[in-house]
């Protein structure tokens, strides 16, 4: 798929949700609030997390209040509205990666659900949002990972995300923690 084709894709539910989150219900019918602003460009590698933070700040999105359905809407809009470019200005390979699974590090355990953006090659060119959930009731959910490149369009990717067992269980659940990540989930 050509890089520009995914930016023109309409994702009504995700876009409507993001607009409602960013500007409140009164303006939910309006166009993207950033459409009159200068086009955004995520320069990789070192600036990708900063670009995500800027995107969130401009839309007044408080990450600590995000649920899985809101994270999906935010990340897909960031992917659609901010073209990833290398520091020389050229467009780079740009994909979304959705993954989840149990996590354990020493005595700390949890269940992570992440939507990450990879712009170019290497782990330093990854940034996204990870939700942490209390793990006790999630052991039956097998780990899963997919990327937007695995699907014929961003709409099919969104359907795969929304159809996954973890998303169905956590779509509107409040996580115990939300993290902005650079470099991806371990």
């Amino acid at each position: 798929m050509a890089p520009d084709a995914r930016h023109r894709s309409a994702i009504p539910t995700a876009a409507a949700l993001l607009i409602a989150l960013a500007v409140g219900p009164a303006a939910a019918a309006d166009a993207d609030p950033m459409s009159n602003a200068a086009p955004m460009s995520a320069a990789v590698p070192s600036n990708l997390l900063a670009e995500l933070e800027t995107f969130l700040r401009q839309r007044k999105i408080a990450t600590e209040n995000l649920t899985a359905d809101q994270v999906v809407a935010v990340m897909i809009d960031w992917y659609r509205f901010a073209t990833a470019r290398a520091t020389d200005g050229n467009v780079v390979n740009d994909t979304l990666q959705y993954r989840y699974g149990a996590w354990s590090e020493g005595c700390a355990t949890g269940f992570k659900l992440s939507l990450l953006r990879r712009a170019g090659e290497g782990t330093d060119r990854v940034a996204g949002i990870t939700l942490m959930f209390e793990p006790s009731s999630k052991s039956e959910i097998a780990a899963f990972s997919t990327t937007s490149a695995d699907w014929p369009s961003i709409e099919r990717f969104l359907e795969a995300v929304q159809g996954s067992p973890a998303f169905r269980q956590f779509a509107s659940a409040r996580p115990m923690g939300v993290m902005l990540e650079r470099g991806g989930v371990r």
Side-chain angles (χ1 to χ4, degrees):
M1 172 181 284
D4 292 336
R6 69 172 163 69
H7 291 287
R8 289 189 301 264
S9 300
I11 305 176
T13 57
L17 178 61
L18 179 59
I19 291 169
L21 284 171
V23 296
D30 295 342
D32 174 42
M34 296 303 296
S35 62
N36 294 330
M40 293 177 63
S41 174
V44 292
S46 61
N47 231 7
L48 199 56
L49 182 59
E51 289 293 330
L52 174 57
E53 290 170 337
T54 299
F55 187 83
L56 295 168
R57 208 174 21 260
Q58 289 174 334
R59 285 166 167 71
K60 298 179 175 95
I61 297 171
T63 57
E64 65 273 5
N65 298 322
L66 293 177
T67 60
D69 55 351
Q70 294 166 335
V71 166
V72 170
V74 167
M75 290 297 293
I76 286 179
D77 274 356
W78 180 44
Y79 180 73
R80 287 177 46 223
F81 298 135
T83 304
R85 297 188 179 278
T87 52
D88 64 4
N90 291 321
V91 175
V92 296
N93 186 22
D94 191 8
T95 59
L96 290 173
Q97 181 177 28
Y98 171 70
R99 59 190 191 185
Y100 57 79
W103 166 81
S104 177
E105 191 169 298
C107 63
T109 60
F111 187 87
K112 285 186 175 185
L113 186 144
S114 301
L115 190 52
L116 308 167
R117 183 177 186 177
R118 177 179 299 278
E121 300 299 322
T123 58
D124 60 340
R125 297 177 182 184
V126 177
I129 304 172
T130 294
L131 304 178
M132 290 287 296
F133 294 94
E134 194 279 315
S136 64
S137 64
K138 289 43 165 198
S139 60
E140 74 283 354
I141 300 175
F144 176 75
S145 180
T146 190
T147 67
S148 58
D150 296 337
W151 302 92
S153 69
I154 195 67
E155 288 85 5
R156 299 290 86 77
F157 174 74
L158 180 59
E159 289 171 8
V161 169
Q162 292 173 333
S164 70
F167 184 87
R168 288 193 315 266
Q169 183 171 346
F170 300 121
S172 60
R174 293 283 171 209
M176 65 181 194
V178 179
M179 301 174 285
L180 294 183
E181 291 205 60
R182 178 177 173 205
V185 182
R186 283 186 260 156

